[in-house]
Amino acid sequence: MKTILTVLVLLWSTVAASAQVVLAPTAVYMSDNQRSATFLVVNNTTEEKDVALRLQFGYPVSDSNGNVTMMYTDTAVAQRFSCTDWIQVFPRKFRLAPGARQIVRLTARTPQTAAEGMYWSRLITTSSVAAEEDTTDQVGARINFSVHQVVPVTYKKGSPSIDLTATGLRLVQSDNNRTVPALDLAVQGNGPFIGTITVTLERDGADAITRSIPVSVYFSTVKRLSDVLPE
């Protein structure tokens, strides 16, 4: 009897890479005026992929140094802001041959009791491929690779009132141990701020630097300004 040893490898990603399926768009926006959306999954690899999609509520949070992680366990916030249960995804599971593509449709059924505001979820696309390699006549090895790619889904109901404020500017350590400025940002209202801000940095003896940078502030965050500074 041949023995199969199976190893499951899970990889999380928010961007497409050569070994993954490609997703478009990178963010899904829906509203009372646009209750449906389409989402494209493309297999640009040379291997057949099994693809599964699901929705899960979550949002990014940062520590005092601007390091960002995802929060998926805040049930109290989910009760107020989650649209996960509103949205239908079809198809949820399919197989993609190399070079093939699949259109996924999202449709929203907004509860009549939902208040005005911004609601959100995360569309998690899991693509996997199994490879088997025989080591002897009696023992084989199979490695299952599963890659999770996350795309934000946002639903706007009515006319949300959202106010973004900068509450402070300070210096923090970046990932490559540079000392960089960082903004303390906070949002008030009935939803997150997802957009761009314009930042101007002035240094003694140097020209001012002005950049527009994307930010996603769900409640409060520390936004490092590493991209604004020259190397």
Side-chain angles (χ1 to χ4, degrees), residues 119-137:
Y119 298 83
W120 69 86
S121 185
R122 291 290 187 270
L123 181 61
I124 301 175
T125 301
T126 301
S127 55
S128 60
V129 59
E132 182 177 338
E133 178 183 354
D134 288 336
T135 56
T136 68
D137 292 338

Side-chain angles (χ1 to χ4, degrees), residues 78-225:
Q79 289 179 354
R80 171 63 182 88
F81 290 107
S82 176
C83 62
T84 300
D85 295 338
W86 306 357
I87 299 176
Q88 305 290 324
V89 179
F90 181 82
R92 284 183 173 267
K93 292 183 179 182
F94 48 88
R95 179 167 291 178
L96 278 181
R101 58 182 57 199
Q102 173 69 51
I103 294 176
V104 177
R105 301 189 183 278
L106 291 81
T107 57
R109 296 181 179 178
T110 313
Q112 294 182 352
T113 56
E116 285 193 337
M118 298 290 288
Y119 298 83
W120 69 86
S121 185
R122 291 290 187 270
L123 181 61
I124 301 175
T125 301
T126 301
S127 55
S128 60
V129 59
E132 182 177 338
E133 178 183 354
D134 288 336
T135 56
T136 68
D137 292 338
Q138 299 298 321
V139 179
R142 178 184 293 118
I143 300 177
N144 294 326
F145 288 96
S146 293
V147 179
H148 299 297
Q149 295 170 261
V150 183
V151 169
V153 178
T154 307
Y155 187 97
K156 184 179 77 170
K157 180 173 175 58
S159 300
S161 176
I162 300 169
D163 183 26
L164 179 69
T165 58
T167 59
L169 177 66
R170 52 200 173 88
L171 297 176
V172 300
Q173 292 296 118
S174 66
D175 293 335
N176 57 0
N177 293 321
R178 294 176 67 201
T179 299
V180 298
L183 275 175
D184 294 314
L185 299 172
V187 66
Q188 295 181 336
N190 48 5
F193 177 89
I194 302 173
T196 60
I197 61 174
T198 300
V199 177
T200 299
L201 294 179
E202 297 181 355
R203 297 185 298 170
D204 293 338
D207 295 335
I209 302 172
T210 300
R211 296 285 189 275
S212 293
I213 57 175
V215 295
S216 298
V217 185
Y218 285 77
F219 300 102
S220 64
T221 193
V222 177
K223 176 63 176 179
R224 289 200 297 248
L225 304 179

Side-chain angles (χ1 to χ4, degrees), residues 13 15-22 42-47 49 149:
S13 176
V15 296
S18 59
Q20 304 168 13
V21 297
V22 177
V42 182
N43 183 7
N44 281 343
T45 74
T46 58
E47 301 171 307
K49 297 282 188 178
Q149 295 170 261

